[in-house]
Amino acid sequence: MELEGTQILHATPQAVWQALFDRAVLEQAIPGCESLEQKSETEFAAVVRLKVGPVSARFQGEVTLTELDPFSACTLSGKGSGGIAGFAKGTARITLVAEGDVTVLSYRAEAAVGGKLAALGNRLIKATAQKLAVEFFAAFGALLPEEAGGDTGPGDAGESVGKQAVAAP
């Protein structure tokens, strides 16, 4: 399954980049996050409680950031297990582009799921992934520092542009 989207964030690429590596910001922005441990500058371990359709589970997972191009791009690779609910794994390429006083964050992700989650079908999983992305970027945008041009008012942070998800075989 492929997901891609674009977000407008009211901060500089430097502020967005720093927030992407800030454990406290990520812990608050990730929907359902119960805990987030930073194992190194580029590795995180998380426990997240999510509900996908009728399946509710507590996922334990790890995320690694690679292919770092500071203030411009990085790749996130992750995997998580929710016990009998199943597993998820995937990669996402994130790019940051300054446009005036905002940063355009674009992402393209490929994900795979197994177990009970896979039985739910791509449509439900894709819709849930889109919803979680919207929730994450709304919270992430609101947490960007004010002095870096952060949230300038209600509805300003984390605006979606051309958000789409396309299922891939």
Side-chain angles (χ1 to χ4, degrees):
M1 173 177 53
E2 280 187 16
L3 298 169
E4 56 185 25
T6 303
Q7 301 290 320
I8 296 174
L9 299 168
H10 295 269
T12 65
Q14 292 82 359
V16 173
W17 182 265
Q18 289 173 347
L20 285 171
F21 289 85
D22 185 324
R23 188 205 62 76
V25 169
L26 294 174
E27 187 171 35
Q28 292 178 65
I30 296 170
C33 186
E34 293 182 354
S35 68
L36 183 66
E37 174 190 350
Q38 189 160 6
K39 298 171 89 174
S40 74
E41 285 188 18
T42 58
E43 297 176 306
F44 295 88
V47 176
V48 178
R49 183 170 298 281
L50 293 175
K51 183 170 181 175
V52 181
V55 178
S56 182
R58 189 171 186 237
F59 290 86
Q60 294 184 337
E62 296 179 355
V63 175
T64 302
L65 292 93
T66 59
E67 300 176 26
L68 305 177
D69 181 5
F71 314 122
S72 297
C74 65
T75 297
L76 287 82
S77 300
K79 60 184 176 181
S81 175
I84 62 171
F87 70 90
K89 63 180 177 178
T91 61
R93 183 69 178 164
I94 294 176
T95 58
L96 305 175
V97 176
E99 289 190 9
D101 61 350
V102 300
T103 297
V104 178
L105 180 150
S106 298
Y107 62 91
R108 182 180 181 94
E110 292 184 23
V113 296
K116 286 184 179 181
L117 288 175
L120 297 174
N122 271 350
R123 181 178 286 180
L124 179 57
I125 292 168
K126 181 172 59 173
T128 301
Q130 286 178 314
K131 176 181 166 274
L132 292 172
V134 167
E135 289 175 11
F136 171 81
F137 284 113
F140 181 79
L143 291 167
L144 291 172
E146 291 289 332
E147 63 274 7
D151 188 7
T152 57
D156 284 347
E159 299 170 28
S160 298
V161 177
K163 190 174 38 124
Q164 56 183 330
V166 181

